[in-house]
Amino acid sequence: MLENLYNKYNLQNVINASGKMTILGVSKVPNSSVEAQKFGDQHFFVMKDLIKNTSQHIAELLGAPAALVVNSASAGIAQAVAGVIGRGSQYHAYHSFSKKITKREIIIPKGHNVDYGTPEEVMITLGGGQVIEAGYANMCSPEHIEMQITENTAAILYVKSHHAVQKSMLSIKEALKVAHDNSLPLILDAAAEEDLLKYVKLGVDIVIFSGAKAISGPAAGLIFGNKEYINWINLQSQGIGRAMKIGKENILGFTNALEEYLKSGSENGQHMLQRLKPFVGELNKVPFITAQVIQDSAGRDIYRADVTINNNSPYTAQEVITQLKKGDVAVYTREYRSNEGIIEFDIRAVTKEDMDIIVTKLNQIFSKKEGN
């Protein structure tokens, strides 16, 4: 049985209470998408036609001028940067780092140059861009962006993510206005966001989504927006994009997952709250912890269990996190606030049975005596 692959490769079974995270394989792919992937695996296609026609189909679904499927959101950032630098030049596709091409500056708010698994600046640089930070770690206004624009600016890049600084930051709409007032494109890294359609309505030039996060598809990235810019990015398949190409099976699997997502959406916040209520009640019965429900820090319609490790606890939050990962079933949590003594449990991929296991493991951890 396939379940034995855990044993074959000596892998732990994982309860993913961390969220849609790359380190855990991101999402569970719907059965219909697995079937679409299987069809892709077992048939041949003229790849340029498959890419062109599925991309056109996706653009129609979104009401966007154009779309393109790539192999990840990270690849999307690098290829988008290369695209706006190359501006449709075949010379650039073949000689992407040529010194003849000088318009390479990509302006990004300083508080958006975050590490999401790799720093944003790595992907910008991989695409041939020169990172220009605007503003400060705790603020960035439209004026801060404006003052960094030069004759060598190729684009403005904005990151919509819980990783990014939230307070005192200009909005997407404000960044878009600065870009358009200066005849520049706005690249939006919205990898883990939930609502694709609002960015179409805003008229963002280049929008990048992860195919495997909110959409719950196989490994893929989606780029959509202005047709000319998307065509420039598509040309990068003959340049740096060759090293980032996506397979036929994932194109078909992702396209199916997107169709299902647009029909049904992801679990909404109200349903999460209903599932969280009994879970938080059980967590509050565990010694040394206090649990409550909190909303996602970036304002998404996502709710989580927020667990504070009390001051009289025999273990720190980081020690609890480490112990949760031990055993036949490893529990992975959101660790961003462990230095504050807080552990977050994201339940989007967690079942009632998983919640029971989490509560049991926590009780076992805190029932141990120090030194045993």
Side-chain angles (χ1 to χ4, degrees), residues 136-142 144 165-171 174:
Y136 303 93
N138 64 335
M139 70 172 68
C140 184
S141 67
H144 288 135
V165 173
Q166 305 297 316
K167 69 175 185 177
S168 301
M169 285 286 155
L170 78 168
S171 66
E174 289 173 324

Side-chain angles (χ1 to χ4, degrees), residues 61-113:
L61 288 174
L62 297 176
L68 180 67
V69 182
V70 293
N71 80 351
S72 68
S74 287
I77 297 168
Q79 289 177 250
V81 167
V84 298
I85 291 171
R87 300 177 60 84
S89 161
Q90 189 73 55
Y91 173 84
H92 172 269
Y94 290 163
H95 306 282
S96 59
F97 293 91
S98 169
K99 292 182 179 178
K100 292 181 182 179
I101 301 168
T102 58
K103 195 171 182 176
R104 295 181 175 274
E105 294 177 359
I106 306 295
I107 299 172
I108 181 173
K110 188 178 186 71
H112 286 191
N113 191 8

Side-chain angles (χ1 to χ4, degrees), residues 101-357:
I101 301 168
T102 58
K103 195 171 182 176
R104 295 181 175 274
E105 294 177 359
I106 306 295
I107 299 172
I108 181 173
K110 188 178 186 71
H112 286 191
N113 191 8
V114 295
D115 186 333
Y116 61 87
T118 190
E120 289 281 340
E121 64 185 286
V122 170
M123 289 301 112
I124 294 170
T125 305
L126 182 60
Q130 179 184 350
V131 176
I132 304 295
E133 292 185 338
Y136 303 93
N138 64 335
M139 70 172 68
C140 184
S141 67
E143 292 74 23
H144 288 135
I145 298 285
E146 187 94 44
M147 69 178 64
Q148 296 287 39
I149 295 173
T150 73
E151 62 182 10
N152 290 322
T153 303
I156 297 167
L157 192 149
Y158 190 103
V159 180
K160 184 71 175 78
S161 168
H162 64 280
H163 291 298
V165 173
Q166 305 297 316
K167 69 175 185 177
S168 301
M169 285 286 155
L170 78 168
S171 66
I172 296 170
K173 192 173 181 179
E174 289 173 324
L176 188 62
K177 184 178 187 305
V178 174
H180 289 182
D181 285 351
N182 290 275
S183 301
L184 295 168
L186 179 71
I187 302 170
L188 175 63
D189 174 5
E193 287 298 293
E194 302 277 319
D195 186 349
L196 299 90
L197 302 183
K198 70 179 178 183
Y199 301 122
V200 175
K201 293 172 185 173
L202 271 176
V204 178
D205 302 297
I206 301 168
V207 185
I208 302 164
F209 262 70
S210 167
K213 289 184 178 170
I215 298 166
S216 294
L222 174 63
I223 309 173
F224 57 94
N226 179 288
K227 189 170 185 178
E228 182 177 38
Y229 297 143
I230 301 303
N231 286 340
W232 291 353
I233 297 166
N234 191 28
L235 183 63
Q236 293 304 314
S237 64
Q238 299 173 39
I240 66 165
R242 180 68 180 181
M244 308 171 191
K245 62 181 182 290
I246 184 171
K248 54 192 169 71
E249 66 287 345
N250 281 26
I251 293 173
L252 290 173
F254 166 74
T255 304
N256 174 271
L258 180 63
E259 291 169 343
E260 293 300 313
Y261 181 77
L262 292 173
K263 273 191 260 179
S264 307
S266 56
E267 182 182 13
N268 64 40
Q270 192 59 42
H271 192 260
M272 285 182 219
L273 287 170
Q274 291 172 3
R275 293 203 298 127
L276 276 166
K277 187 175 180 180
F279 180 45
V280 167
E282 290 302 311
L283 288 172
N284 275 318
K285 295 177 185 177
V286 178
F288 304 111
I289 70 173
T290 303
Q292 64 177 338
V293 175
I294 60 164
Q295 187 176 0
D296 175 69
S297 60
R300 293 177 294 175
D301 192 27
I302 298 170
Y303 292 85
R304 304 185 178 97
D306 180 269
V307 170
T308 299
I309 307 301
N310 298 340
N311 291 334
N312 62 342
S313 166
Y315 303 108
T316 65
Q318 189 55 58
E319 287 169 339
V320 173
I321 287 167
T322 299
Q323 292 190 57
L324 282 169
K325 293 175 183 176
K326 294 179 179 178
D328 294 333
V329 179
V331 176
Y332 277 73
T333 62
R334 295 175 73 80
E335 305 177 9
Y336 304 116
R337 301 172 66 198
S338 62
N339 64 306
E340 302 173 35
I342 296 171
I343 307 170
E344 294 179 21
F345 292 81
D346 188 308
I347 64 163
R348 285 177 289 171
V350 176
T351 65
K352 172 62 170 64
E353 292 73 21
D354 293 336
M355 292 179 188
D356 292 341
I357 292 171

